[in-house]
Amino acid sequence: MVEPVNSSLGKMLLEEVSPVVMVLCTPLVEETFLKNGLSFVETLKPFCNFSNIDVPVRTSGDQLYRLKKFTLRLFNAADIRQPNVEVAKQRLEHVITQAGEKVFHDLESDPPQITDILSNSESEIAPTWFQYYNKELIRTLSFSDHEAFDHPVACLLVVSSKDEDPLNKFVDLFNTNRLPSLLNDGVMDPKILKHFLLVHDNQDATTERLTSKVLSEMRSTFGNNECNLLCTNSSKEGNVEHQANPWASFKSSVPAEKLGCALTGDDIGEIKELMQEFASRHIIPYMEQKVRDLNQQISATRKGLRNQIKNLWWRKGKDDIPDSTKGSIYTFSSTESQIRILGDYAFMLHDYELALSSYRLISTDYKLDKAWKHYAGVQEMMGLAYFISDQSIKEAEYCMENASSTYMKLGKSGFQNATRCGLWWAEMLKARDQYKEAASVYFRICGEEPLHAAVMLEQASYCFVLTKPAMLHKYGFHLVLSGDHYKICDQVNHAIRTYRSAISVYESTTWSHIKDHVYFHIGQWYAIVGMNDVAVRNMLRVLDCGNQSKSTQEIFLRDFFDIVKKTGMKHEVVGLRLPIISMSSLQVIYEDHRTYASQASALVEESIWQSLEDDIIPSLNSGKSNWLELQSKLLPKKYKESNVCVVGESVKLDMEFRNPLLISTSVTSVSLICELTENSDDLKLEKETSSLSLGTEHNQVTTSGFSSFTLSEVDFTLGGGEKKLVRLTVTPSEEGILKIVGVRWELSGSIVGVHYFQSVPTKAKTNKAKRKNKLTPTDALKFLVIKSLPRLEGSVDHLPDKLYAGDLRYLVLELKNNSESPIKNLKMKISHPRFVNPESHEEELTPGFPDCLKKGPEQNTVQRETSRTSVFAFPKDVSLQGDRSLRWPLWLRAAIPGTISLYFTIYYEMENVSSIMKYRTLRMHYSLQVLPSLETSFEITPSPSRLQEFLVRMDIVNRANSDSFEIHQLSTVGCRWGISLLQPVDTILPSKSILPGQGLSCFFMIKDCRKPGTEEEKTTSILPSQTDIKLITQDDDEKLFDIVNSPLASFHESERSCHGTSDQLSPNTVDFILISRLAKSSNPSAEQDLPKILSHHSCHNRIRSSIPLSWSLDGPKTMYHDFSTSFCEIKLKMVIRNTSDGFLSVSINTIDGLPDAAAPTPSSGNLSGWRYVPAITEEMKLTSDVMGSRLGKPPPSMESSPPFIWSGSSSTKVQIQPLSRTEIPLQISVFSPGVYNLCSYTLTWELSEHENALSSTSSGICQGYPCYLTVLQSE
């Protein structure tokens, strides 16, 4: 903290609270000094400030002190009056206007940064004109009637040597008619020190002889010490130039070179000597003597206990007098005025202790007299005295607070005094680094006048930024308030200046509302002063004002475009945020060796395509390599990180534009910003066929215009808050290096927005094999453009968007190469072979679909071999070029319901075109929505008595929402199983179709058609017609579909692979194919795109059985024998089949001597299968209980019969291999005719995983089932 005397307030007090000298001069004196462009007072003013006067002074005490600094204030007698309020206001406004004109050219510069502001001192932050304004504001209160430091201490009477009768002129000058009214009205003491000065103009030689005579007469008349001579204008030519002109800072209305042009250095020295002598030998001694006299007088009348009690007693009756707010109730001769003069004189002589004691003494009197303005003035001076003498800080602040509040209580008449008090108080606080408190004082004295408030608010803002720590938000807020007040008073330059400083506070904050307010208004104000370019630059900052209301946004945009139109030109704005570009949405889509049939194909993840292309991309040398590794070996190092594109093929860039506003915005002429450079060495790549090395780099030349590339332009409109994905393209027409630099667009035809992509090369090495086609700006915006290559175009005709599960369609893949360069070695891989199956040859279907899939007159019973390879290779002789196209048949089957993505990748090679790119791939992507249709399930149950026959239960449910389906045929797959109906078709499907949500169960018989006694799978005697059954009654002549050949056979193989691979048909599983079609619609036009045929494949249906074996007892059913000769021996055969995958051990135990041999024995509970009924009448109906109860009793004629015995071995044990069978001979002996139930035996079985295993996994006992034998007596 600096010393109070050296502080800003200390210097101000030295200048403003200093002795006043009243000047009275004749017109000829003014005429003499006007030769220098100055008045007499203006000539002397620069020499009235004495920084080292060194005059000894003794006031109240006997101790001397030396006065080091002293200042005189010179005023013409006509100026010693209270200033007019309106004139003073205009003068202050003029000061502010002049300051605004000086800063006008600085408004084009960049606004100050907050870091720079924080590092600067107060003198560097606050404008320099503030001090001048504050001084002028204080001077508007000069010569107040309640203060004495503006009272003239002395009078300087000046007469020219050219005046007639100079002595009488001196007498006339001090005539009461010429004196200020304040002296005549008794406010000021007219009895002051008088000093007489004779001015001689050296340019006037006629008065040189009279000057000495007049001076002698003056001294003899007025006294030798009170008279002086001043010779001036020693320069005859009047063209003296002063390097350091002392008057330049006092008078700016006249050019500096004309100020003092007739005064030589000797003249200036004489003026300095005159003023210093006048101050040190006349003014100071006079004031010193005056202080001593007044102090002695007041001490005798007012000091001491007795005088104080006497004064209180005298003022006792004044308690009821009204407050004095107007006019002065004290004359210069009153005791109160004399005490105030004593205090002010002591203050000006730097005797602050005497000044304080005088102010304390008079303060009580003013308070008792309710002279509040006088009281406040004394309190104000006490506070300043405390400060300048470096005494109690609290006392100083208390006095300033008391003075300010007292002034405020006086209302409008006291506001100006309160303002001056506030200015001094704020400076006092700032000198003690109490900037926060100083800011509150400035805010306190703002008042209602806008211009005055603007200056005070701005000064308060600088106090906030100087606090420790800085209060930045309050600093910015007060600057904004100040700027608004400046604008109200049409001080636009100052409004811009304050708002520019506020920008540094808010530009890095999230306070969007005040930030938009600042930028919007400063843009408007720049337009007012004619700086339209700067106005546009600031208004651009508010275009991203999504936080504002819709009406506010409309105002912002309207004013912005109005300002732009005033400029009459297009403005290019880098980083324009209307609309906002989402860099995270940026996607670059280009074609190198990878080409795309559609936009959907280009948006697929690269990993999906790579997984398909691994099997069709050729390897480089002996090791397996993908395209990116191949490219890295062919390209020079400089361009290994670059992407490759082809001349004439577009590079597409998708980006998202977002409207941050609530109002619609039209965006036009959106295009990319690109650069295409060429390098001769790079182009030699096309001529080299082996390993390449990087040659000498040549200067790159940027080709411009549309001759080197073509850009697309897009126009669109964004609604409030709307986002839109826009695709922009650039198509190079020359070889070289293509760089996508940024994007540009236009708003309202006058603003061009530019957004540059900041591309930073990636230093880290990445695995190029995993690099995606959708890249970020750091690695996807630079392309090596190579010469034109053949490009294959492809599409799948008539591919529906929606279809039912099982829908079988005939499609055509159309491929075309528009280039004259041929392509060859075409290969294709499909992501879902379960859905799509290409034909093996190029031919048109004859007859048309679906009739081509039906059986012909001569049906081949051998199944055609289908291709199981994952890559389909087109014939070697297929080559495309020019206008020729290739149409290749495809079969599509919707295997499962859901949303299915089909991916096709077609590989092809090019001849003698490019050494960099030998092949290319065409990528195609289609999305299908597969709706549920018929859902089938099969249950197969073996016959307990017939090993070769099985009952099949088929359950069908229509899962479609609205459509009905008709069943056409059911087929078994392979040459082993025959199928037949158990009931008429009309009984199975009485309604002819299955309605939505309807379920249906029906039964069929299948038969294993292998020859008995053999396990060879392909040995069969089945006819082709036995594997299919027709399930329709109408169109009896309609042919069945061929399931043996492609495409149904191929799709079935795919289904088998998906449900579990099996190279050989399992003896224990059956595959079915159900053919259906959509029920006919009443609307013929709606049937054009409806499915013609649906195939439903059910694979690996196992034959159900609860035990791992099945058996049958074969032998004669009826036999004749002559029992009179001997008993009857009958040979039987038991066939046992192992239906499991394990090893089966079976023991056959026969039982003799049944009490009732003819009584049938109930079947065991663990038997499975169904009872074979030899004869089924026409009237019998098959119900869902296919496991109907067995015959409980034999015919009545069988209730009694003679016994029989098993004449073979009573126990036989056999081992049966998995899925094999064995035959065991048996024999019975019958002793009498009758009907016999041959069920008196049991089968004990054990199942194990390995042959000769010690332990079994399961075991059980099966009771023989009824088998009746009729033996009759032969005749």
Side-chain angles (χ1 to χ4, degrees):
M1 186 177 69
V2 297
E3 294 182 2
V5 177
N6 297 324
S7 66
S8 177
L9 178 58
K11 296 176 182 178
M12 186 185 299
L13 293 176
L14 182 64
E15 295 178 6
E16 302 302 325
V17 185
S18 58
V20 172
V21 176
M22 181 175 64
V23 178
L24 291 168
C25 59
T26 62
L28 289 177
V29 174
E30 292 292 349
E31 184 180 339
T32 300
F33 284 94
L34 284 175
K35 295 178 181 180
N36 300 287
L38 301 163
S39 67
F40 175 74
V41 172
E42 291 172 344
T43 304
L44 301 185
K45 269 187 178 181
F47 311 105
C48 294
N49 191 359
F50 311 104
S51 58
N52 191 15
I53 194 169
D54 197 17
V55 177
V57 178
R58 182 171 61 85
T59 52
S60 59
D62 296 332
Q63 187 175 0
L64 288 171
Y65 64 93
R66 306 194 73 84
L67 199 63
K68 298 292 185 181
K69 297 180 180 181
F70 196 69
T71 301
L72 292 179
R73 292 183 292 159
L74 273 62
F75 291 93
N76 287 313
D79 296 332
I80 298 180
R81 56 185 172 79
Q82 295 181 358
N84 181 272
V85 176
E86 294 299 325
V87 174
K89 185 183 294 185
Q90 292 176 3
R91 182 171 179 80
L92 290 173
E93 184 176 348
H94 179 69
V95 171
I96 297 174
T97 303
Q98 277 190 326
E101 293 173 353
K102 292 180 180 179
V103 302
F104 177 76
H105 296 291
D106 296 335
L107 300 180
E108 295 183 354
S109 61
D110 294 332
Q113 297 299 314
I114 192 64
T115 53
D116 298 334
I117 294 174
L118 294 175
S119 61
N120 292 337
S121 62
E122 180 185 1
S123 60
E124 295 172 319
I125 295 175
T128 55
W129 61 269
F130 274 173
Q131 294 182 356
Y132 184 58
Y133 175 85
N134 291 342
K135 290 178 182 179
E136 288 295 328
L137 187 61
I138 292 172
R139 287 169 186 170
T140 60
L141 297 173
S142 300
F143 310 108
S144 300
D145 54 4
H146 69 288
E147 295 168 332
F149 55 78
D150 283 337
H151 292 191
V153 175
C155 180
L156 183 62
L157 294 94
V158 188
V159 176
S160 173
S161 60
K162 295 185 289 183
D163 282 317
E164 296 181 2
D165 196 2
L167 293 180
N168 288 331
K169 290 290 183 181
F170 281 118
V171 176
D172 293 340
L173 285 176
F174 205 74
N175 192 303
T176 55
N177 294 331
R178 293 175 174 266
L179 295 179
S181 60
L182 293 174
L183 274 74
N184 294 328
D185 294 343
V187 178
M188 299 179 181
D189 188 0
K191 296 180 180 180
I192 56 177
L193 174 68
K194 300 180 184 63
H195 196 76
F196 303 92
L197 180 64
L198 180 64
V199 174
H200 174 65
D201 188 352
N202 287 333
Q203 292 182 353
D204 187 4
T206 60
T207 59
E208 290 182 1
R209 294 178 298 162
L210 298 176
T211 300
S212 301
K213 181 180 177 181
V214 173
L215 181 61
S216 299
E217 291 176 356
M218 288 172 53
R219 288 176 175 173
S220 61
T221 303
F222 304 116
N224 188 40
N225 293 330
E226 305 302 329
C227 300
N228 279 94
L229 173 65
L230 177 63
C231 296
T232 185
N233 295 342
S234 299
S235 174
K236 302 299 182 181
E237 295 80 8
N239 55 1
V240 179
E241 293 186 5
H242 305 279
Q243 292 183 352
N245 198 310
W247 299 280
S249 60
F250 290 89
K251 192 168 186 178
S252 59
S253 59
V254 179
E257 60 271 12
K258 293 184 178 181
L259 296 176
C261 58
L263 298 176
T264 62
D266 294 338
D267 293 339
I268 295 175
E270 188 175 348
I271 295 174
K272 286 182 180 180
E273 185 179 351
L274 170 67
M275 296 310 298
Q276 185 156 0
E277 181 182 350
F278 181 52
S280 60
R281 294 187 179 182
H282 299 278
I283 299 293
I284 296 176
Y286 171 78
M287 294 179 65
E288 181 184 2
Q289 185 61 44
K290 183 81 171 179
V291 168
R292 285 201 297 267
D293 293 343
L294 288 174
N295 185 46
Q296 185 178 2
Q297 176 185 344
I298 292 170
S299 297
T301 58
R302 293 296 305 276
K303 293 184 179 181
L305 181 59
R306 180 180 179 182
N307 290 331
Q308 292 180 9
I309 294 174
K310 183 178 179 180
N311 180 59
L312 290 174
W313 180 264
W314 179 76
R315 296 180 185 277
K316 185 177 180 182
K318 295 187 177 182
D319 292 342
D320 297 331
I321 64 174
D323 294 352
S324 175
T325 58
K326 295 183 179 180
S328 176
I329 62 174
Y330 306 103
T331 61
F332 73 89
S333 60
S334 64
T335 304
E336 292 83 1
S337 296
Q338 294 297 309
I339 299 174
R340 175 62 195 253
I341 291 173
L342 173 61
D344 288 348
Y345 273 38
F347 192 97
M348 289 186 285
L349 290 175
H350 303 180
D351 189 352
Y352 302 114
E353 291 294 336
L354 178 59
L356 272 173
S357 64
S358 301
Y359 293 145
R360 289 194 197 100
L361 184 62
I362 196 62
S363 176
T364 305
D365 293 348
Y366 287 148
K367 189 173 184 180
L368 291 174
D369 292 343
K370 297 183 180 180
W372 298 117
K373 197 170 188 178
H374 293 74
Y375 171 74
V378 171
Q379 290 290 317
E380 185 178 1
M381 293 306 297
M382 287 175 64
L384 295 176
Y386 277 121
F387 167 76
I388 203 71
S389 60
D390 202 11
Q391 295 190 37
S392 173
I393 298 175
K394 291 185 178 180
E395 289 292 336
E397 292 185 4
Y398 171 78
C399 291
M400 300 306 289
E401 169 69 30
N402 199 8
S404 179
S405 58
T406 304
Y407 280 134
M408 290 293 187
K409 290 178 182 178
L410 297 177
K412 190 175 182 180
S413 62
F415 179 74
Q416 283 186 305
N417 296 94
T419 300
R420 183 191 65 183
C421 177
L423 291 175
W424 281 343
W425 187 9
E427 292 295 335
M428 183 189 304
L429 293 170
K430 290 194 291 184
R432 292 174 177 149
D433 295 334
Q434 294 177 281
Y435 289 101
K436 182 179 179 182
E437 292 78 6
S440 64
V441 174
Y442 281 124
F443 189 79
R444 185 174 181 175
I445 60 176
C446 284
E448 298 179 357
E449 203 280 315
L451 188 58
H452 171 78
V455 180
M456 295 301 111
L457 286 169
E458 186 177 359
Q459 294 191 72
S461 68
Y462 296 126
C463 292
F464 284 119
V465 81
L466 290 168
T467 56
K468 303 297 181 183
M471 304 174 72
L472 295 181
H473 290 312
K474 287 194 174 183
Y475 164 68
F477 181 69
H478 282 75
L479 281 175
V480 172
L481 290 178
S482 174
D484 290 339
H485 284 77
Y486 278 129
K487 179 58 179 62
I488 293 173
C489 303
D490 294 329
Q491 296 289 341
V492 181
N493 291 346
H494 288 293
I496 294 174
R497 181 178 52 80
T498 53
Y499 266 53
R500 286 173 78 250
S501 299
I503 286 175
S504 62
V505 177
Y506 297 115
E507 66 179 352
S508 59
T509 66
T510 57
W511 292 13
S512 54
H513 282 81
I514 193 169
K515 190 191 305 183
D516 292 343
H517 172 87
V518 170
Y519 279 114
F520 175 69
H521 285 87
I522 199 174
Q524 283 186 321
W525 298 339
Y526 269 117
I528 292 175
V529 299
M531 297 183 182
N532 292 318
D533 292 342
V534 187
V536 171
R537 191 164 61 241
N538 282 276
M539 291 286 282
L540 285 169
R541 302 296 296 269
V542 302
L543 294 186
D544 181 15
C545 54
N547 54 290
Q548 300 287 354
S549 64
K550 185 176 181 180
S551 58
T552 303
Q553 293 175 7
E554 290 174 347
I555 294 173
F556 282 1
L557 247 66
R558 183 193 63 218
D559 288 6
F560 169 71
F561 288 121
D562 287 345
I563 293 173
V564 172
K565 289 178 181 178
K566 290 178 182 178
T567 63
M569 56 186 297
K570 283 189 177 182
H571 292 264
E572 184 174 288
V573 182
V574 178
L576 180 64
R577 292 184 60 78
L578 182 66
I580 295 176
I581 297 175
S582 174
M583 293 304 297
S584 61
S585 68
L586 193 68
Q587 292 183 345
V588 181
I589 303 172
Y590 63 97
E591 295 181 337
D592 42 22
H593 77 291
R594 304 160 291 189
T595 63
Y596 301 93
S598 63
Q599 179 180 355
S601 305
L603 298 178
V604 176
E605 291 290 336
E606 180 69 14
S607 59
I608 296 177
W609 295 120
Q610 287 186 0
S611 64
L612 287 175
E613 295 171 358
D614 283 344
D615 294 335
I616 61 176
I617 297 294
S619 59
L620 183 66
N621 298 330
S622 59
K624 189 174 182 180
S625 173
N626 61 18
W627 152 253
L628 294 171
E629 293 171 351
L630 176 64
Q631 175 183 344
S632 66
K633 296 179 180 180
L634 290 176
L635 293 180
K637 291 183 179 180
K638 182 177 180 180
Y639 301 115
K640 282 186 178 180
E641 295 297 328
S642 300
N643 303 303
V644 177
C645 64
V646 180
V647 168
E649 297 183 8
S650 298
V651 176
K652 306 175 185 66
L653 191 143
D654 291 345
M655 64 180 68
E656 183 183 86
F657 289 81
R658 178 175 64 86
N659 184 5
L661 306 181
L662 300 175
I663 57 179
S664 296
T665 303
S666 178
V667 186
T668 59
S669 302
V670 185
S671 63
L672 295 174
I673 304 173
C674 302
E675 296 177 357
L676 183 60
T677 60
E678 63 179 33
N679 189 304
S680 58
D681 286 347
D682 295 334
L683 301 182
K684 292 180 181 179
L685 291 171
E686 300 297 327
K687 300 179 181 179
E688 299 184 14
T689 56
S690 59
S691 60
L692 302 177
S693 60
L694 184 63
T696 306
E697 184 175 346
H698 289 255
N699 293 330
Q700 294 182 346
V701 179
T702 302
T703 58
S704 59
F706 293 97
S707 60
S708 56
F709 54 80
T710 304
L711 299 173
S712 65
E713 285 194 357
V714 179
D715 299 339
F716 57 89
T717 299
L718 290 174
E722 182 183 358
K723 298 178 181 178
K724 185 168 289 187
L725 191 67
V726 177
R727 167 162 291 185
L728 303 174
T729 63
V730 53
T731 305
S733 56
E734 296 179 0
E735 300 172 66
I737 303 299
L738 176 67
K739 294 180 181 178
I740 301 178
V741 179
V743 62
R744 62 188 295 126
W745 65 95
E746 290 187 10
L747 294 177
S748 187
S750 54
I751 290 293
V752 179
V754 176
H755 181 89
Y756 289 110
F757 303 135
Q758 299 298 325
S759 180
V760 181
T762 305
K763 295 183 179 179
K765 293 183 179 180
T766 58
N767 186 358
K768 294 184 179 180
K770 297 182 180 179
R771 189 171 64 177
K772 297 181 180 180
N773 193 42
K774 295 178 285 186
L775 303 172
T776 62
T778 57
D779 55 6
L781 300 179
K782 183 178 180 181
F783 299 87
L784 175 64
V785 184
I786 63 176
K787 68 180 183 180
S788 179
L789 298 176
R791 182 182 184 276
L792 186 65
E793 297 179 359
S795 63
V796 178
D797 295 343
H798 311 301
L799 180 65
D801 295 330
K802 291 183 179 181
L803 63 167
Y804 281 107
D807 192 353
L808 185 64
R809 298 292 181 101
Y810 173 76
L811 307 176
V812 175
L813 171 65
E814 184 174 4
L815 301 177
K816 187 174 183 179
N817 173 25
N818 292 322
S819 172
E820 294 299 327
S821 299
I823 60 174
K824 61 178 184 177
N825 295 338
L826 279 75
K827 291 185 286 185
M828 178 172 64
K829 186 173 181 181
I830 304 170
S831 61
H832 293 74
R834 187 179 179 187
F835 280 76
V836 180
N837 185 23
E839 274 287 358
S840 59
H841 50 82
E842 180 185 9
E843 62 180 14
E844 294 293 334
L845 293 180
T846 304
F849 177 79
D851 294 337
C852 61
L853 301 181
K854 295 181 179 180
K855 294 183 178 181
E858 296 181 0
Q859 178 64 38
N860 185 9
T861 60
V862 180
Q863 181 176 348
R864 184 184 300 172
E865 295 291 335
T866 58
S867 175
R868 299 293 299 274
T869 60
S870 60
V871 178
F872 174 76
F874 290 86
K876 293 292 184 180
D877 58 348
V878 172
S879 178
L880 288 176
Q881 70 181 105
D883 296 332
R884 181 176 180 270
S885 63
L886 173 66
R887 295 178 58 84
W888 199 268
L890 295 180
W891 292 103
L892 170 70
R893 178 183 173 272
I896 55 175
T899 300
I900 308 300
S901 293
L902 296 179
Y903 305 101
F904 299 77
T905 181
I906 300 176
Y907 166 89
Y908 57 96
E909 296 177 359
M910 303 164 289
E911 290 184 348
N912 303 323
V913 177
S914 172
S915 62
I916 296 179
M917 200 176 295
K918 295 292 187 181
Y919 67 89
R920 303 186 84 176
T921 58
L922 172 63
R923 296 172 171 181
M924 305 166 62
H925 169 245
Y926 296 95
S927 181
L928 304 179
Q929 184 178 359
V930 182
L931 304 177
S933 58
L934 296 182
E935 185 179 289
T936 62
S937 64
F938 293 86
E939 182 179 341
I940 307 173
T941 307
S943 167
S945 59
R946 292 180 177 266
L947 295 182
Q948 304 294 114
E949 297 180 357
F950 302 85
L951 179 69
V952 178
R953 172 176 171 170
M954 180 176 67
D955 295 320
I956 306 175
V957 179
N958 184 359
R959 299 295 185 186
N961 292 328
S962 59
D963 289 323
S964 301
F965 294 92
E966 297 177 353
I967 299 177
H968 187 274
Q969 78 180 58
L970 177 65
S971 302
T972 58
V973 180
C975 302
R976 175 181 174 184
W977 300 97
I979 187 169
S980 60
L981 291 169
L982 289 180
Q983 56 190 135
V985 175
D986 291 339
T987 306
I988 299 175
L989 295 171
S991 63
K992 311 301 181 184
S993 63
I994 304 177
L995 301 177
Q998 180 183 358
L1000 176 70
S1001 296
C1002 49
F1003 299 88
F1004 308 92
M1005 179 80 72
I1006 62 172
K1007 183 175 182 181
D1008 190 348
C1009 298
R1010 292 178 301 179
K1011 292 181 179 180
T1014 178
E1015 297 297 329
E1016 294 181 3
E1017 192 172 307
K1018 294 185 179 180
T1019 303
T1020 177
S1021 60
I1022 190 172
L1023 296 176
S1025 59
Q1026 294 179 355
T1027 60
D1028 308 302
I1029 55 174
K1030 185 186 298 185
L1031 298 178
I1032 54 174
T1033 56
Q1034 66 273 26
D1035 300 331
D1036 291 337
D1037 295 335
E1038 185 173 353
K1039 298 178 182 179
L1040 295 174
F1041 287 96
D1042 180 12
I1043 68 166
V1044 177
N1045 296 309
S1046 180
L1048 290 175
S1050 299
F1051 283 124
H1052 188 75
E1053 284 298 316
S1054 299
E1055 290 297 318
R1056 287 183 60 83
S1057 299
C1058 291
H1059 291 89
T1061 58
S1062 177
D1063 294 333
Q1064 296 180 351
L1065 293 175
S1066 173
N1068 211 28
T1069 61
V1070 185
D1071 292 353
F1072 296 95
I1073 298 178
L1074 177 68
I1075 306 297
S1076 66
R1077 59 190 176 191
L1078 200 65
K1080 293 183 179 180
S1081 172
S1082 60
N1083 184 9
S1085 61
E1087 297 183 2
Q1088 295 181 359
D1089 196 40
L1090 295 179
K1092 303 275 194 310
I1093 176 177
L1094 292 88
S1095 66
H1096 311 277
H1097 300 253
S1098 180
C1099 305
H1100 308 297
N1101 295 286
R1102 299 185 66 86
I1103 299 173
R1104 291 186 55 191
S1105 177
S1106 59
I1107 57 174
L1109 75 160
S1110 62
W1111 73 95
S1112 63
L1113 187 63
D1114 296 335
K1117 301 300 181 184
T1118 304
M1119 193 169 182
Y1120 293 88
H1121 182 72
D1122 184 7
F1123 288 96
S1124 61
T1125 58
S1126 66
F1127 59 89
C1128 179
E1129 291 185 349
I1130 303 172
K1131 295 184 179 291
L1132 303 174
K1133 179 177 67 174
M1134 180 177 288
V1135 180
I1136 304 176
R1137 181 174 181 175
N1138 182 0
T1139 60
S1140 70
D1141 296 329
F1143 292 89
L1144 186 67
S1145 174
V1146 181
S1147 296
I1148 305 171
N1149 300 309
T1150 57
I1151 303 172
D1152 296 328
L1154 288 176
D1156 188 2
T1161 303
S1163 63
S1164 174
N1166 62 354
L1167 285 176
S1168 65
W1170 51 279
R1171 170 74 185 273
Y1172 174 72
V1173 182
I1176 300 179
T1177 63
E1178 294 289 341
E1179 293 78 11
M1180 295 178 62
K1181 292 186 179 180
L1182 189 64
T1183 66
S1184 60
D1185 185 11
V1186 297
M1187 299 297 295
S1189 53
R1190 295 190 175 97
L1191 295 177
K1193 293 183 178 180
S1197 60
M1198 301 179 186
E1199 291 184 358
S1200 63
S1201 61
F1204 69 92
I1205 63 171
W1206 296 90
S1207 57
S1209 61
S1210 61
S1211 178
T1212 304
K1213 186 173 184 180
V1214 294
Q1215 296 285 339
I1216 307 175
Q1217 298 293 321
L1219 303 176
S1220 301
R1221 66 180 182 175
T1222 186
E1223 296 179 358
I1224 303 171
L1226 296 177
Q1227 181 176 314
I1228 62 172
S1229 298
V1230 180
F1231 300 99
S1232 62
V1235 178
Y1236 298 94
N1237 187 358
L1238 306 181
C1239 62
S1240 56
Y1241 62 89
T1242 61
L1243 300 180
T1244 303
W1245 57 269
E1246 291 184 358
L1247 184 66
S1248 58
E1249 295 181 356
H1250 305 285
E1251 190 175 6
N1252 301 324
L1254 297 178
S1255 60
S1256 60
T1257 56
S1258 60
S1259 62
I1261 300 176
C1262 299
Q1263 181 69 43
Y1265 50 81
C1267 180
Y1268 295 96
L1269 172 65
T1270 302
V1271 182
L1272 301 177
Q1273 178 67 38
S1274 62
E1275 294 180 359

